Amino acid sequence: MLLTCEIYPRLPPKRQYDKENFLCTLLLKNPERRHALAIRAFNVEIARITGTVSDDKIGQLRLKFWEDTIGRLHRSDNPDHVPEQPVVQELKVAIDAAKLTKRYFQRLISSRLNANLRFVTTKQLEEYAEHSVSSVLYLLLEVHGVRNVHADHAASHLGKAQGIVNLLRSIPRQERRNVVPVPQELLIAHGVSQERVLRNKRDDKGVEEVVFQLAGLANQHLEKARALWGSVPKEARPVFLPAVTTGRFLERLRRVNFHLTDSSLLQSDAMLPLAIYWGNFRGKI
C-alpha cells in the first residue's frame, strides 16, 4: 500500500495498493505521519489477505496472526521484542506513542473475516464501510490526540462515503469472484441481477439507477462529513483529506451517467495529487 522505502526504510514499498490514501497521508506532519503510515500499511496487509490466498482457511490463519499480534501489542506487559515484521514493529511504535484503541484494530480485522461482500440491505453495506474504513479514520484521529464525539461523527460519515465508493469502484473488477457488493434490496427494487451489474452495459438503465442510488448514499455521507468538519480540531483536519478523493470520483461518476466501466473512470485521476494538495492548502475538503 503506502510506506515507501524512501521515507521509512523499515517498511515495504506497498503504496501501489493504496496510492490515494498514501498521497493524503504524506501531507500529515511527523510524528503523526509515521504512525498514520503504519496504520495504513496494517490495513492494506489485512485487506489483501482474502484476495491473495486460494484457501479461505489460510486466509483466516493469517488474519488470526494479526489478531493475536494486535492483542499482544496492547497488553499491559507489552514486550519489547515483537515479530521481525516491519509493519508490526511500526505498529508497536504507533500504539505505544498514541495509545491507540484496540477495538478499532479488531473491527478492521473482523470486517475482513466476514468480507464476503454479500449485503442484503444498504444498512449492512454501511456497517461494513463503517468497520472497514471509518475505523482507520478513528485511529488516525487518535494519532493526532483527538478523541471527541464531533470528530468521530465526521469520521464515521466520511468512512461510510469512502467505503461505498471503494466498493463501487471494485465492481468492474469483480468478475473473477462472481459477486457484486450491491445490496439485494436495491437489486430487487430495480429488477436487476448481479450478472447485469457485472456486464454494466451503457444502455442498462436499471443498473445505472442502482449505481445512482449507491452514489447518492455515498454523497449524503460525504456532505454530512463536510458539514461536521468545522468542529474537528485544526491539527487533525488533514485526516479528512480522503474526502477530496471521494468527492472527485463521485463527480466523475455523475459526468458519465453512473456508468462504472466508462474508460475515464478506469483511468487514474491525473489531477488528484494537485487537488489533494490544494484542498490541504486551502483547508477545505
Side-chain angles (χ1 to χ4, degrees):
M1 139 195 167
L2 22 124
L3 308 179
T4 63
C5 290
E6 294 85 355
I7 299 174
Y8 298 113
R10 295 167 59 83
L11 291 158
K14 297 181 179 178
R15 64 180 175 182
Q16 69 268 27
Y17 299 118
D18 198 15
K19 182 178 179 180
E20 294 170 354
N21 285 322
F22 171 78
L23 292 173
C24 295
T25 308
L26 285 180
L27 294 176
L28 303 181
K29 296 180 180 179
N30 270 322
E32 291 82 6
R33 179 172 59 186
R34 176 182 179 180
H35 303 331
L37 287 171
I39 292 167
R40 290 287 187 187
F42 162 77
N43 190 45
V44 166
E45 287 284 341
I46 62 173
R48 292 185 63 235
I49 287 175
T50 55
T52 56
V53 297
S54 56
D55 189 332
D56 289 343
K57 291 183 179 179
I58 296 176
Q60 291 175 1
L61 286 173
R62 292 185 181 179
L63 287 170
K64 186 64 167 60
F65 161 80
W66 283 106
E67 185 177 30
D68 292 343
T69 299
I70 291 298
R72 184 180 179 188
L73 293 178
H74 278 87
R75 285 198 336 232
S76 58
D77 58 340
N78 187 348
D80 293 331
H81 177 72
V82 296
E84 291 295 328
Q85 206 274 8
V87 176
V88 173
Q89 295 193 345
E90 284 298 309
L91 273 181
K92 182 182 186 304
V93 174
I95 290 170
D96 289 348
K99 310 302 179 187
L100 301 177
T101 301
K102 179 181 177 181
R103 180 177 73 258
Y104 297 140
F105 288 103
Q106 292 174 326
R107 286 172 57 173
L108 287 169
I109 295 170
S110 65
S111 70
R112 305 305 175 183
L113 282 168
N114 304 314
N116 56 20
L117 301 183
R118 298 184 186 276
F119 308 108
V120 176
T121 66
T122 53
K123 181 175 176 59
Q124 290 178 346
L125 172 61
E126 289 174 303
E127 288 175 351
Y128 173 78
E130 163 80 16
H131 285 196
S132 62
V133 183
S134 298
S135 296
V136 173
L137 298 176
Y138 298 146
L139 289 168
L140 297 185
L141 287 173
E142 291 188 344
V143 159
H144 286 79
V146 175
R147 288 175 167 86
N148 70 57
V149 65
H150 300 296
D152 285 352
H153 196 186
S156 175
H157 284 297
L158 176 56
K160 289 173 182 175
Q162 190 178 10
I164 293 170
V165 164
N166 288 346
L167 291 174
L168 281 174
R169 295 175 70 176
S170 75
I171 288 176
R173 302 176 178 87
Q174 289 292 326
E175 293 184 15
R176 290 183 180 179
R177 298 181 62 175
N178 197 31
V179 60
V180 292
V182 177
Q184 287 292 321
E185 67 177 9
L186 286 184
L187 297 176
I188 293 172
H190 297 283
V192 174
S193 66
Q194 289 194 354
E195 289 74 17
R196 281 172 61 185
V197 175
L198 286 172
R199 289 197 299 269
N200 200 223
K201 293 183 179 179
R202 185 172 292 277
D203 59 349
D204 194 327
K205 300 302 180 183
V207 173
E208 288 182 7
E209 185 63 27
V210 168
V211 174
F212 168 75
Q213 289 208 9
L214 286 175
L217 180 61
N219 190 63
Q220 289 175 22
H221 284 297
L222 179 62
E223 290 305 314
K224 288 178 181 178
R226 285 171 169 166
L228 292 163
W229 187 70
S231 61
V232 177
K234 185 176 181 180
E235 65 271 17
R237 290 183 180 180
V239 168
F240 291 83
L241 284 173
V244 175
T245 300
T246 303
R248 286 181 65 85
F249 177 82
L250 288 172
E251 175 60 21
R252 293 167 68 200
L253 182 59
R254 184 192 66 79
R255 290 178 180 176
V256 297
N257 295 318
F258 305 95
H259 184 62
L260 287 171
T261 55
D262 187 276
S263 59
S264 65
L265 288 181
L266 299 178
Q267 298 172 359
S268 61
D269 184 351
M271 297 300 295
L272 181 61
L274 180 59
I276 293 172
Y277 176 82
W278 186 239
N280 184 61
F281 180 78
R282 296 178 62 199
K284 295 186 66 175
I285 58 171

